[in-house]
């Protein structure tokens, strides 16, 4: 049965007892006690059953609002003794956050990162993609829909960079051009060499450590695969796919975290957004008259290292079946 909570004073849809149904991502967490000034609304976003969103494996106290940590029965059902321990953990996280943000550093999961997204506002079209897609509500808008970044709320995920159709958002150490140059640096063998070339854009949080572990365990896979790590697949910009395929790269594999209610994405919605963006890649493939099998998204958990050779080899077999990219050598 869907749980109900006391509705905030200004909420629509409350029943005769003043209660409102909690739906996933409803934005309703309690009543309006927090009253946060965020584009996405005044409350903490919640998951199923009305508990605030949190990365249940790696960052248990975190919420989608940087600097707000939850503990005890607010976070999940637990006994009082456990809640006391939990409160200590949340308080430690809050102290860490205060110290890091005071000197311009990011908190989890990119702890220590000193860069921020920079916006070349001269070319902004006020499309609102960055403000809508930021998983942490770190970008507000002015009345003309210009993005107003809040650096202390930012987790440096790069989702805004991947979302921007004008490609005007970049970091000092991460940009559309930087990944584009890494793709350009990948050698593409000539067609008569009969060696396919496939690149894997791999999330550095879970998928890359899984690939690394598979390598440490000396597992074997196709030698024609090249890996390019990304902060989060949510920073995927479709221009990389178009550029890679038009250079003659035979296939592109995207490895990201699991999404859904029990998501493992370190930036909450990054891999889900990448999958949504990828659904639009068919336009690019149609324009280039290429097969949809050349681009594939897979979810990889950090403990899935033993599945890596199978995932790669299966994709390579598909690419062999589809044949060489006709843009090779252009
Ligand atoms: S880097 Fe991530 S958290 Fe920061 S503004 Fe962009 S989308 Fe939001
Ligand atoms: S996504 Fe890019 S173009 Fe759109 S509002 Fe944000 S900065 Fe401007």
């Amino acid at each position: 049965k869907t749980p109900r909570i006391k509705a905030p004073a200004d909420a629509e849809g409350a029943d005769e007892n003043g209660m409102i149904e909690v739906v996933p991502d409803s934005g309703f967490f309690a009543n309006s006690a927090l009253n946060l000034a965020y584009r996405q609304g005044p409350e903490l976003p919640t998951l199923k059953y009305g508990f605030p969103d949190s990365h249940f494996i790696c960052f248990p106290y975190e919420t989608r609002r940087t600097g707000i940590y939850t503990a005890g029965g607010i976070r999940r059902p637990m006994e009082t003794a456990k809640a006391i321990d939990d409160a200590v953990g949340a308080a430690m996280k809050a102290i860490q956050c205060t110290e890091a943000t005071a000197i311009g550093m990011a908190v989890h999961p990119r702890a220590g990162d000193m860069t921020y997204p920079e916006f070349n506002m001269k070319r902004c079209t006020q499309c609102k993609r960055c403000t809508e897609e930021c998983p942490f509500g770190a970008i507000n808008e002015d009345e003309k829909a210009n993005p107003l970044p809040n650096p202390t709320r930012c987790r440096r995920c790069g989702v805004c960079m991947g979302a921007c159709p004008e490609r005007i958002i970049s970091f000092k150490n991460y940009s559309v051009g930087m990944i584009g140059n890494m793709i350009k640096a990948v050698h593409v063998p000539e067609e008569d060499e009969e060696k396919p070339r496939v690149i894997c854009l791999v999330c550095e949080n879970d998928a890359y450590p899984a690939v690394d572990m598979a390598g440490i365990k000396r597992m074997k896979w196709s030698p024609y695969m090249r890996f390019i790590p990304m902060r989060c697949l949510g920073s995927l910009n479709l221009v990389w796919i178009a550029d890679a395929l038009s250079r003659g790269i035979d296939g592109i594999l995207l490895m990201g975290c699991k999404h859904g209610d029990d998501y493992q994405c370190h930036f909450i919605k990054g891999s889900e957004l990448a999958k949504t963006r990828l659904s639009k890649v068919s336009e690019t493939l149609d324009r280039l008259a290429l097969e949809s099998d050349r681009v594939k998204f897979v979810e990889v958990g950090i403990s899935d290292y033993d599945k890596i050779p199978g995932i790669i080899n299966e994709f390579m077999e598909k690419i062999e079946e589809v044949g060489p990219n006709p843009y090779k050598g252009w």
Side-chain angles (χ1 to χ4, degrees):
K1 193 176 168 199
T2 315
R4 300 181 88 79
I5 56 169
K6 185 164 179 350
D10 53 353
E12 288 176 13
D15 63 18
E16 64 279 7
N17 300 318
M19 303 296 278
I20 195 163
E21 207 170 76
V22 176
V23 290
D25 265 347
S26 64
F28 291 117
F29 165 54
N31 57 28
S32 304
L34 287 169
N35 207 17
L36 304 170
Y38 279 75
R39 182 199 186 282
Q40 285 82 352
E43 300 299 337
L44 288 182
T46 55
L47 283 174
K48 208 173 171 185
Y49 305 123
F51 291 106
D53 201 351
S54 174
H55 191 286
F56 77 106
I57 298 176
C58 302
F59 317 118
Y61 310 108
E62 308 240 343
T63 69
R64 275 213 243 171
R65 298 294 172 254
T66 305
I68 299 182
Y69 300 90
T70 54
I74 303 280
R75 186 165 81 73
R76 65 178 176 80
M78 67 178 74
E79 295 160 353
T80 310
K82 176 78 183 87
I84 293 168
D85 274 355
D86 214 52
V88 174
M92 300 291 275
K93 294 296 298 182
I95 293 167
Q96 215 177 38
C97 175
T98 313
E99 290 181 346
T101 49
I103 51 170
M105 275 185 183
V107 293
H108 275 98
R110 290 193 58 78
D113 191 337
M114 300 284 280
T115 63
Y116 293 108
E118 292 169 11
F119 294 65
N120 179 359
M121 287 304 294
K122 281 191 217 127
R123 286 177 35 219
C124 175
T125 58
Q126 292 82 33
C127 71
K128 303 188 185 183
R129 292 267 295 277
C130 57
T131 55
E132 281 166 5
E133 292 194 10
C134 172
F136 303 101
I139 316 175
N140 282 349
E141 281 163 24
D142 67 12
E143 63 289 348
K144 291 190 176 144
N146 288 306
L148 299 173
N150 282 285
T152 50
R153 295 176 181 174
C154 175
R155 309 263 185 111
R156 282 71 150 180
C157 61
V159 165
C160 51
M161 182 183 108
C164 180
E166 300 300 316
R167 303 195 287 280
I168 58 172
I169 305 176
S170 60
F171 298 76
K172 290 231 160 17
N173 58 3
Y174 192 59
S175 66
V176 173
M178 193 183 281
I179 298 287
N181 285 339
M182 288 165 90
I183 292 172
K184 279 194 197 115
V186 172
H187 171 67
V188 183
E190 297 296 333
E191 193 172 346
D192 55 12
E193 290 181 62
E194 296 188 357
K195 291 177 183 166
R197 174 63 74 231
V198 173
I199 56 173
C200 179
L201 297 175
V202 52
C203 165
E204 68 181 13
N205 294 297
D206 278 6
Y208 197 78
V211 171
D212 209 26
M213 181 54 74
I216 289 168
K217 293 200 173 271
R218 303 208 177 271
M219 293 178 165
K220 293 191 168 52
W221 53 77
S222 167
Y224 304 125
M225 177 67 85
R226 297 292 179 271
F227 295 95
I228 296 180
M230 295 174 63
R231 278 187 186 191
C232 171
L233 272 199
S235 62
L236 172 80
N237 199 296
L238 291 182
V239 73
W240 297 330
I241 310 270
D243 285 356
L245 292 172
S246 55
R247 279 193 66 233
I249 301 251
D250 296 290
I252 302 167
L253 184 61
L254 297 134
M255 279 190 195
C257 306
K258 299 191 176 186
H259 60 266
D261 268 351
D262 56 350
Y263 70 85
Q264 294 176 21
C265 176
H266 287 45
F267 295 113
I268 297 165
K269 284 192 171 287
S271 64
E272 191 179 336
L273 286 166
K275 202 167 181 188
T276 311
R277 275 180 214 148
L278 213 54
S279 62
K280 294 176 192 140
V281 91
S282 53
E283 287 163 30
T284 307
L285 292 163
D286 287 350
R287 184 164 44 80
L288 296 169
L290 290 172
E291 305 79 1
S292 58
D293 287 338
R294 292 192 186 274
V295 184
K296 185 177 179 188
F297 174 94
V298 286
E299 293 182 346
V300 176
I302 198 160
S303 54
D304 287 342
Y305 66 89
D306 52 335
K307 297 187 186 137
I308 299 290
I311 291 171
I312 294 175
N313 292 336
E314 190 187 315
F315 187 59
M316 294 306 294
E317 276 167 29
K318 181 52 81 181
I319 294 300
E320 298 261 342
E321 198 182 304
V322 175
N325 182 336
Y327 287 90
K328 252 180 229 297
W330 279 36

